Amino acid sequence: MTELSLRGLTKRFGAMTAVDDVSLDIPEGRFVCLLGPSGCGKTTLLRLIAGLEAPSSGAVLVAGRDQTDTPAHKRDFGMVFQSLALFPHLSVAENVAYPLAIRGVDRATRRNRAAELLQMVRLPDLGDRRIHQLSGGQRQRVAIARGLAINPRVFLLDEPLSALDANLREHMQMELRQLQQRLGVTTVVVTHDQKEALTMADILILMDGGRVQQVGAPMELYRDPANAFVAGFIGNTNLLRGHLRGREMAVAGTTLTLDDGDRIKAPDGPAILSVRPEDTRIAARGVPARVTFLRDLGESVQVVMDMDGTEVTALFAPRDRPDVSLGDSVHLAFEPGRRVVLPA
Amino acid sequence: MSAHRATPAWLALIPAAWLAVFFLIPFAIMLSVSVAHRVPGGFFEPGFEIDSYARLMTPFFGRILMTSVAVAAGAAAICVVLAFPFTVILAGMRARGQTLVLVVLLAVLSLSEVIIGFSLSTLLSRTAGVGNLLAWAGLIAEPRAYTPGLFALMLGLCYLGLPYAVLVLYPPVSRLDPELGEAARIMGASPLRVFWTVTVPVLRAPIAGAFVLVFVFTLGAYLLPQLLGRPRHWTLSVHITDQAIFQSNLPFAAAMAVVLLLVSLALVGVSLLLGRGGARA
Ligand SMILES: Nc1ncnc2c1ncn2[C@@H]1O[C@H](COP(=O)(O)OP(=O)(O)OP(=O)(O)O)[C@@H](O)[C@H]1O
Ligand SMILES: [Mg+2]
């Protein structure tokens, strides 16, 4: 069942359109990652969903009911802010129980629930501390516990892990994901870290310039990008300009014949061929190129080549290491079935 | 490794010297005057007698002290109650509007107690005051005077204290993270409850600070109580002026000043403790 629906959601700040005509349907219990470069409108979209910002046009529906005009405090959502926004004047337990206190829940119930929530985020015994007595990771957990205190319909998080160091961050990603799966709460997390998005998401929403570029499972976006922006943003890719006619793609003076498995998403004419570095091969015949850089990364070998002015990267497993050296002229082949032709 | 030298200890002597020159020495002089022997009809000669203090230990002066504290605390409370929401709204305005309001407030600060006192006593008088306006509008039957009286006095003191309260509150209020309030909104708090459960408690220390500043400031006002209040509203500051200037009784004036200083120091300490306790405990 669709829990959260956005219909043509648009937000303008003066002449600038921060969120542009976003329509989405998010099924109940899914973990959604909102991914995109800085300034693409992720935070604004999340604030529109939360009701902290009024849309210029469009609607927000929760379980089929229009909530566009429902004020933020009547939506029964949970949210974790980038700054965490924990209350310095309350103890950890009081912070966690704040939404319950606002709803008039009695003191004893509040205390039990706070203890339960702190147990859940693995912070028992810290209930009496002040916020400034906690480490960054502990604060993170308190904010998450507080956001989940009322069993929210929708749980929203804005770059919740961005302040943590890499190790803790990876750990918290897994923990957040497991917690969400256990509780089954529909969750939307904003991030600009694609690895984080790939780790956690059921559904990935990739935004750029206020618009949704593609929605789908992470692997879907990786394998089957809708456009060059998606291909370039999710993982590394080689984007080669060329010309498409039927199943023939001309790249740097060489014509490649596309296979059944290859995805053609552009009309005839100028187009972009997207191939992942691991699907790029050095072969006896193919597109001519010259080796400009070689490096051994341990788990893989990276070969960078110049193909008629375009930089192309190929990645090999150590045992497939090609016998080339700097300045060699080589020919490139692209794994059939893994090629994607995108609109230019 | 210890190439980085600590701040030299003698540097601390500078603020200490300041305190001594501008606070401790005058206070010591005042103390010595307060125990000096008064020469009736004349000045005073050095001595050590507690006559002046003994004279203070009467219900009469006890009442005056209470009045002073009550008037100043009342004015400070009204100022903070008005200034706090005002500042919260001010901090939410766009930058140009904020600058304009702050400039106006600073302009009000440049008015002296004398100007404020005389303006208000004219404005609240029967012959030329707002009473005429109200009578003309039919709100009251006859023009009447609103001065002298407690209302006029409070009005004057608040006019004097409000800009200070706003200026003390403005920096912490404008630095308040708006996400705190938004987080409370999401968690179900209406804007009014956000104000009471987040904005006020988070800013408890600055609120106490504003209260203390206006309290101390209005406690020292000696013109407004005479211009706008009745004799029973006269504060200790008025009586100090009266004794020092008109009765030429410097020892007694000094004794009152010492008592006033100690009482206000004690109250300031208590208020600040309460404010800090709110932010921590
Ligand atoms: N209150 C506002 N007034 C004017 N412009 C705004 C406002 N809030 C956001 N914007 C603009 O809208 C665009 C989207 O901002 P938003 O904060 O949603 O980006 P973001 O994707 O969250 O970026 P980041 O990853 O850096 O947090 C930006 O260009 C920003 O300058
Ligand atoms: Mg953001």
Side-chain angles (χ1 to χ4, degrees):
Chain A
M1 199 189 121
T2 303
E3 179 70 0
L4 184 64
S5 301
L6 311 181
R7 299 261 183 276
L9 214 52
T10 300
K11 178 69 185 181
R12 277 182 287 271
F13 294 110
M16 132 114 217
T17 306
V19 170
D20 193 359
D21 191 24
V22 170
S23 296
L24 288 171
D25 285 303
I26 297 169
E28 189 174 350
R30 291 307 149 83
F31 197 113
V32 180
C33 272
L34 211 53
L35 184 65
S38 187
C40 72
K42 304 179 299 287
T43 297
T44 309
L45 181 57
L46 203 71
R47 291 171 60 85
L48 287 169
I49 297 173
L52 292 172
E53 213 84 64
S56 307
S57 63
V60 177
L61 281 71
V62 179
R65 295 221 325 275
D66 192 336
Q67 304 271 293
T68 316
D69 298 322
T70 310
H73 63 276
K74 291 190 179 144
R75 292 196 184 192
D76 285 340
F77 284 5
M79 184 156 172
V80 174
F81 288 78
Q82 190 162 1
S83 71
L84 300 185
L86 294 170
F87 300 137
H89 63 291
L90 298 178
S91 72
V92 168
E94 285 165 341
N95 260 281
V96 171
Y98 179 87
L100 305 172
I102 287 295
R103 285 168 176 76
V105 174
D106 67 88
R107 187 177 290 269
T109 315
R110 258 169 23 215
R111 211 182 16 241
N112 291 338
R113 177 75 178 135
E116 194 181 303
L117 286 157
L118 288 172
Q119 184 80 45
M120 182 181 80
V121 295
R122 300 206 266 126
L123 285 182
D125 317 322
L126 290 191
D128 294 329
R129 291 253 190 112
R130 296 267 126 196
I131 298 304
H132 67 86
Q133 296 169 322
L134 299 182
S135 73
Q138 289 169 334
R139 284 177 208 197
Q140 205 75 56
R141 287 161 203 248
V142 174
I144 290 171
R146 191 178 69 169
L148 291 169
I150 55 155
N151 295 318
R153 298 215 60 138
V154 178
F155 190 29
L156 307 170
L157 302 95
D158 191 358
E159 308 212 14
L161 309 178
S162 58
L164 305 181
D165 68 61
N167 279 337
L168 186 56
R169 192 166 166 165
E170 241 158 74
H171 180 75
M172 287 297 296
Q173 285 167 8
M174 287 193 307
E175 221 167 274
L176 184 60
R177 176 63 176 146
Q178 285 165 353
L179 190 63
Q180 186 273 340
Q181 270 170 337
R182 194 142 50 81
L183 300 174
V185 56
T186 310
T187 301
V188 182
V189 177
V190 167
T191 174
H192 60 236
D193 175 350
Q194 55 149 313
K195 205 169 149 206
E196 185 168 302
L198 295 173
T199 310
M200 299 194 291
D202 295 318
I203 302 173
L204 205 57
I205 299 171
L206 186 57
M207 290 182 70
D208 189 39
R211 296 186 141 267
V212 171
Q213 300 296 323
Q214 194 173 357
V215 180
M219 273 306 129
E220 218 174 298
L221 269 66
Y222 186 77
R223 290 267 148 71
D224 195 6
N227 56 40
F229 172 80
V230 178
F233 199 85
I234 310 280
N236 295 314
T237 197
N238 296 306
L239 295 173
L240 315 172
R241 301 197 155 271
H243 196 92
L244 178 74
R245 173 143 21 94
R247 308 188 69 82
E248 308 273 291
M249 176 86 190
V251 175
T254 310
T255 302
L256 306 166
T257 307
L258 297 169
D259 235 42
D260 272 349
D262 293 330
R263 294 178 178 83
I264 302 176
K265 309 197 143 192
D268 279 5
I272 295 173
L273 181 71
S274 165
V275 194
R276 302 283 171 192
E278 62 268 29
D279 299 326
T280 303
R281 297 275 157 265
I282 291 174
R285 300 185 307 123
V287 190
R290 206 168 46 79
V291 179
T292 55
F293 187 68
L294 260 172
R295 82 176 152 169
D296 206 328
L297 298 168
E299 76 238 33
S300 60
V301 179
Q302 190 189 37
V303 182
V304 182
M305 288 152 290
D306 177 75
M307 187 201 82
D308 199 18
T310 308
E311 186 175 275
V312 180
T313 306
L315 217 53
F316 301 90
R319 62 170 186 279
D320 298 334
R321 185 193 177 107
D323 184 22
V324 294
S325 47
L326 216 60
D328 281 3
S329 287
V330 294
H331 291 275
L332 289 174
F334 307 111
E335 192 79 19
R338 301 293 207 104
R339 295 171 289 195
V340 185
V341 182
L342 300 167
Chain B
M1 279 314 287
S2 60
H4 175 84
R5 250 183 279 164
T7 316
W10 57 262
L11 220 56
L13 290 178
I14 294 174
W18 269 71
L19 261 183
V21 171
F22 293 105
F23 181 77
L24 283 181
I25 294 176
F27 184 68
I29 295 173
M30 194 165 77
L31 258 183
S32 70
V33 172
S34 73
V35 293
H37 175 69
R38 185 189 180 208
V39 182
F43 213 42
F44 61 88
E45 50 196 34
F48 187 85
E49 50 182 50
I50 56 163
D51 292 21
S52 301
Y53 287 97
R55 216 183 129 190
L56 267 175
M57 297 300 132
T58 57
F60 177 70
F61 280 103
R63 233 206 55 207
I64 289 171
L65 187 63
M66 295 293 283
T67 308
S68 311
V69 170
V71 164
I78 294 171
C79 280
V80 170
V81 165
L82 292 177
F84 188 67
F86 177 86
T87 314
V88 169
I89 294 167
L90 175 68
M93 284 166 48
R94 59 183 68 204
R96 288 188 58 150
Q98 291 192 27
T99 314
L100 194 74
V101 173
L102 290 174
V103 166
V104 170
L105 278 172
L106 286 172
V108 170
L109 279 186
S110 71
L111 299 179
S112 78
E113 213 185 320
V114 186
I115 295 175
I116 293 171
F118 280 114
S119 314
L120 275 178
S121 69
T122 310
L123 203 64
L124 298 175
S125 70
R126 190 176 62 79
T127 45
V130 287
N132 296 287
L133 213 61
L134 296 178
W136 177 78
L139 291 173
I140 52 174
E142 285 269 291
R144 53 162 293 206
Y146 293 94
T147 183
L150 192 60
F151 170 73
L153 175 58
M154 281 300 181
L155 197 64
L157 291 175
C158 288
Y159 192 89
L160 206 61
L162 194 69
Y164 287 97
V166 173
L167 291 176
V168 167
L169 287 170
Y170 180 72
V173 168
S174 60
R175 270 202 310 270
L176 183 71
D177 179 2
E179 288 193 348
L180 285 180
E182 289 177 347
R185 287 292 306 281
I186 300 278
M187 287 186 279
S190 62
L192 196 67
R193 295 199 73 181
V194 172
F195 181 81
W196 283 114
T197 59
V198 177
T199 316
V200 171
V202 168
L203 294 169
R204 213 153 134 172
I207 290 174
F211 177 86
V212 164
L213 184 80
V214 179
F215 173 77
V216 171
F217 192 66
T218 48
L219 201 57
Y222 64 94
L223 275 170
L224 288 183
Q226 297 176 70
L227 285 172
L228 300 172
R230 294 180 187 283
R232 70 186 144 92
H233 302 134
W234 285 8
T235 58
L236 209 50
S237 303
V238 178
H239 289 273
I240 292 171
T241 322
D242 182 53
Q243 289 295 331
I245 294 174
F246 300 106
Q247 318 287 332
S248 305
N249 191 346
L250 273 181
F252 189 46
M256 283 197 282
V258 168
V259 169
L260 186 62
L261 190 74
L262 294 180
V263 168
S264 52
L265 269 182
L267 287 170
V268 166
V270 169
S271 314
L272 290 180
L273 266 180
L274 282 181
R276 186 159 314 164
R280 287 264 169 79

